[in-house]
Amino acid sequence: MKRKIWASFEEPNQKKSAMAVPAPGKSCGSCTECCKIVGVEELQKPGGIYCSHCTLGGGCKIYPDRPKSCRTFMCGWLVHPKMGPELKPDKCHVVLMDLAESRALVAGCDPDRPDAWRAPDVINLLRLLAASIGSGWRVVAAVDKRTWLITERAILSDTGEVTPFV
């Protein structure tokens, strides 16, 4: 079953390819949030801390030789043309990742801004995604080891707390 979520963010003539490409007019620019939020197994870099090869606001010092996972990674903002500048990771401090092997859309949040995923622009997007994602998929917000399942009706914490949307 096709996941409706990405279809709602795709341009009508955009074809799926083996490797994602940035949406027209989008680039990482000075954003380095993935260098902090995302773990990189090849470098033994855990999520939540900046990579030792990252120059803040400048990018990767080993760009030509960066690991495969870094070469192939593209955040949700970069590939989806309908996500506005307010959702760029260096602005909202959340990196949206499609983890197909886990059947999850994960909003990885900067641990230095643990409530960033609750900002109106971000939580509204997560709720929209939860309402339109295909069966068997889930939307998860994550900060360090904490997680929250986002549904169209509520936020469910990993401790069992339920916060309904009003």
Side-chain angles (χ1 to χ4, degrees):
M1 167 184 250
K2 181 174 179 175
R3 290 170 288 149
K4 293 185 225 170
I5 176 52
W6 296 131
S8 69
F9 283 95
E10 290 170 357
E11 292 299 315
N13 296 325
Q14 186 177 3
K15 301 275 188 205
K16 289 287 184 188
S17 63
M19 185 160 152
V21 295
K26 289 192 174 186
S27 70
C28 297
S30 62
C31 181
T32 55
E33 287 294 304
C34 65
C35 299
K36 179 178 186 181
I37 295 171
V38 180
V40 181
E41 191 173 318
E42 297 99 322
L43 298 174
Q44 299 175 337
K45 186 206 92 64
I49 61 167
Y50 275 106
C51 177
S52 62
H53 302 291
C54 177
T55 300
L56 296 181
C60 182
K61 291 184 258 184
I62 61 166
Y63 190 82
D65 301 315
R66 69 197 186 283
K68 182 179 179 183
S69 63
C70 295
R71 289 177 187 274
T72 59
F73 180 79
M74 292 223 182
C75 74
W77 178 85
L78 191 59
V79 298
H80 295 293
K82 294 184 181 178
M83 291 177 72
E86 72 283 0
L87 293 168
K88 187 173 182 180
D90 64 347
K91 301 288 185 262
C92 70
H93 306 284
V94 174
V95 174
L96 188 62
M97 302 168 270
D98 182 338
L99 302 181
E101 67 282 354
S102 301
R103 297 181 61 85
L105 293 176
V106 175
C109 190
D110 183 339
D112 291 332
R113 298 175 186 250
D115 290 328
W117 66 272
R118 294 178 186 268
D121 289 334
V122 179
I123 196 66
N124 289 337
L125 173 66
L126 297 178
R127 188 176 182 191
L128 171 69
L129 295 173
S132 61
I133 199 164
S135 177
W137 281 75
R138 63 193 188 287
V139 175
V140 177
V143 182
D144 288 328
K145 305 268 188 243
R146 295 277 332 263
T147 59
W148 295 263
L149 176 66
I150 313 300
T151 72
E152 65 183 297
R153 293 193 173 97
I155 301 167
L156 302 111
S157 78
D158 55 7
T159 61
E161 184 179 339
V162 177
T163 306
F165 289 114
V166 281

